[in-house]
Amino acid sequence: MPNLLAHFGSQAPVVRLWDRDIDVRWILLGCTIPDLPWIAQRGVRALFPWIDPYELALYSIAQASLAFCLLLCGTLALLSHNPGKVFGVLSLMSLLSLLLDALQTKWASGVHLLAPWSWKPVNWGFFWPGSALTYILTSLGVAYVVFEFRRAWRTKPPKILRLTHRAMLAPILLMTYLILPLTTMTAIEAEDSHFIETLRDVEKRPGRIVEMDRDLVVPGNGRLMWETFTGEQLDILGEPQPDEGLYSARARFEDSQTIRILELRRHNAWLREAASYVGLAVLLAVWVTPLIRRHETTP
């Protein structure tokens, strides 16, 4: 995915063309919804390292699909005073976020727009992460949040419903969002989405093609090793040989623990991470600071 600031800068103005009065908080939240499973995955792995990383990745893939994003959009919209409008904003932002992700060249990755009918990832590959376009979109995101943050700071946060009959439906949708992905994981693995089935079936690895996205090349056993998203380290053959850093690759398994590089792409190790953390901080700030200010001004 592009970083969150790039999503903010490219998507939010589209909504403003539709309705200039839409609260920026819903706009930024909608941009973030497809990325929430991947953000949560990091926290879960840090807190519960014993959880199977392949199972967790399959679960996150399901939740990041358009269908499940819409479920979460509905959950949040039911808690608002204008659920129809809020659902429209959140859904549009989620769809645009996934479409922007699909425009990138992402080996071993992609978005799932037709799930659960198809778990084949969509990846149109028009530009690489870290390309000039990414920097332009990120700069637009910085300008946008600076402009909007002043207005968000002065306005009250959106009203949240009390426990009405409509709001009582929100927990049902939330539980569906949390539980239903468990029923899709077998189908996702069968599609070899993110090459999870290839990586997981160690005995059948030799001779198979694999793609890996944004993994680290690290020192190990006196040489450089490819570290997969599970933390497994693989020996590296082929040309070009990577240095230490962050890479994507297309490769072939020579044996169960050795890959031969076929194509290699180095990534900037800090841009996406730093800009996404800033984006999350902005999202949290526009929701939380008005609540703090209101509390401080209440006699």
Side-chain angles (χ1 to χ4, degrees), residues 11-205:
Q11 295 173 218
V14 175
V15 182
R16 288 295 186 213
L17 294 175
W18 169 31
D19 189 336
R20 295 180 59 85
D21 296 325
I22 294 173
D23 196 304
V24 66
R25 298 171 182 88
W26 293 121
I27 296 174
L28 300 188
L29 182 57
C31 292
T32 311
I33 281 175
D35 297 327
L36 290 178
W38 305 110
I39 295 168
Q41 180 183 229
R42 292 191 175 191
V44 170
R45 291 192 64 182
L47 293 172
F48 308 103
W50 46 266
I51 291 180
D52 187 330
Y54 293 117
E55 293 292 303
L56 187 57
L58 291 168
Y59 181 83
S60 298
I61 290 170
Q63 282 193 324
S65 67
L66 177 60
F68 282 95
C69 286
L70 295 180
L71 268 177
L72 186 55
C73 291
T75 302
L76 297 170
L78 285 172
L79 298 175
S80 73
H81 270 260
N82 192 342
K85 185 174 184 178
V86 169
F87 178 74
V89 172
L90 294 177
S91 300
L92 177 60
M93 290 296 94
S94 295
L95 174 60
L96 291 177
S97 182
L98 291 171
L99 290 175
L100 181 58
D101 288 347
L103 291 175
Q104 291 188 117
T105 302
K106 294 272 287 181
W107 290 337
S109 189
V111 301
H112 297 87
L113 300 175
L114 301 178
W117 298 278
S118 171
W119 288 105
K120 186 176 180 62
V122 177
N123 186 331
W124 293 312
F126 290 120
F127 66 97
W128 278 98
S131 65
L133 181 58
T134 303
Y135 285 94
I136 292 171
L137 295 178
T138 303
S139 299
L140 290 175
V142 172
Y144 178 78
V145 298
V146 169
F147 173 78
E148 287 283 10
F149 191 83
R150 295 181 62 190
R151 181 163 61 174
W153 177 267
R154 294 193 299 265
T155 58
K156 295 180 179 180
K159 294 180 179 179
I160 302 298
L161 280 178
R162 296 179 180 178
L163 292 180
T164 64
H165 292 309
R166 188 176 68 205
M168 292 291 286
L169 293 174
I172 298 174
L173 287 185
L174 180 60
M175 293 305 296
T176 304
Y177 172 78
L178 294 174
I179 295 174
L180 198 58
L182 297 173
T183 68
T184 68
M185 291 161 60
T186 300
I188 296 171
E189 186 170 4
E191 190 65 49
D192 205 12
S193 187
H194 293 217
F195 286 78
I196 289 176
E197 192 271 336
T198 296
L199 290 168
R200 197 174 195 178
D201 196 342
V202 176
E203 293 183 357
K204 293 183 180 179
R205 283 178 177 179

